[in-house]
Amino acid sequence: IIDKETFETVQQIMRDRAKVKIGDDKNLSKYTRRYPFSGFVICNNCGRTLKRRYWNYSSNKKVVMQCGSYLEGKGNCDAKAIEQNILEKATIKVLNEVFLSNLNITQDLYRAVLTSVNVLDNESKIDELNDEITALDTQISSLVDLKISGQIALDMFNSKYQDLVSKMKSLEYELKSQMKKRDESFEKTLRVSKMKEIIKNISNISEVEIDVLRTFIYRIIAVNQENIVYCIAKDKQYSDEEFSNKRKDFLLKEAIAKGKVIDDLNGKVLNYKVIII
């Protein structure tokens, strides 16, 4: 789908971002690979992420996902914890039945993601902006030379200098925006490549792995103890705050798949639906 040079560029971008988020010692990376739902499930009540907790109450020993606000004080949020084993069971079912078995959904997702990819257009605009910035920088240098040699009045110099500097800031802002769009296009293209690779090489998912989970699913919204929603991102990426603010709007979207799982140990039911955001 993409050439080797583009692939290597994106890999470096992802490595650089990982260093910022994780740090060179990779401790957080190990943690999230061990606990794939960490920072991934959003509480519908308050918008905070659910955190992993181990309950060890005599005979009631289990791992649960509980709202971060609740953990800071029960008065902050009254959302009930979701047991991790049933969340894992639902997630495995969704990954197998929605993505590995339903090629229509995956093909539609490929097209939706790639429709927004404009790497060549972004690169062309980046080249144009760099040329404009270089030309403008030359103009600024020439203007300074005129001022130093006394060939231009101070008031005229200040007026023209401020105008050129303002244009330079505008171009640099647009350049930064286009570079961000290019990086996002690279990542979207890689995401589709990874989806295809997983579907080609894996016939059945039996456990939740972070790479597979986050390739297909963008976030999970915990509506309540009995209901969750899997969100699939199409062409837009959301900041944590933006996703949290829009969570209730997302819940109004029509489901592309829905179902339920039952905990074999206690008979509890977890209903789920899958939406595209």
Side-chain angles (χ1 to χ4, degrees), residues 171-197:
L171 288 173
E172 288 176 341
Y173 178 84
E174 178 62 19
L175 176 62
K176 185 177 180 180
S177 175
Q178 288 297 328
M179 292 177 72
K180 181 181 179 182
K181 290 179 181 178
R182 179 198 60 187
D183 294 348
E184 289 175 349
S185 290
F186 283 151
E187 291 181 356
K188 289 172 184 176
T189 305
L190 281 181
R191 181 184 168 210
V192 170
S193 297
K194 196 165 186 178
M195 287 181 190
K196 291 186 175 182
E197 181 182 358

Side-chain angles (χ1 to χ4, degrees), residues 101-113:
S101 301
N102 195 328
L103 294 181
N104 289 331
I105 289 179
T106 53
Q107 292 294 337
D108 288 345
L109 187 56
Y110 297 157
R111 284 190 290 270
V113 173

Side-chain angles (χ1 to χ4, degrees), residues 31 35 37-39 41 49-57 60-74 77 79-85 87-88:
Y31 179 84
Y35 308 125
F37 295 113
S38 295
V41 186
T49 56
L50 274 62
K51 300 186 181 301
R52 186 179 186 274
R53 291 192 70 194
Y54 179 65
W55 282 2
N56 185 15
Y57 304 129
N60 190 23
K61 297 179 181 180
K62 55 190 174 184
V63 176
V64 301
M65 300 296 296
Q66 195 152 39
C67 176
S69 290
Y70 178 91
L71 294 175
E72 292 172 2
K74 295 181 180 180
C77 181
K80 303 297 184 182
I82 296 177
E83 295 183 20
Q84 183 169 291
N85 66 320
L87 178 60
E88 289 177 347

Side-chain angles (χ1 to χ4, degrees), residues 13 15 47 61 82 94 97 103 134 151 184 199 212 224:
I13 291 170
R15 284 193 291 269
K61 297 179 181 180
I82 296 177
V94 166
E97 295 185 359
L103 294 181
T134 299
Q151 298 180 53
E184 289 175 349
I199 291 172
V212 175
N224 51 47

Side-chain angles (χ1 to χ4, degrees), residues 8 28 30 56 72 76 103 107 138 144 187 195 212 227 257 261 273 276:
E8 290 299 332
L28 181 55
K30 292 176 184 177
N56 185 15
E72 292 172 2
N76 297 329
L103 294 181
Q107 292 294 337
T138 300
V144 171
E187 291 181 356
M195 287 181 190
V212 175
N227 295 276
V261 293
K273 74 174 184 177
I276 295 178

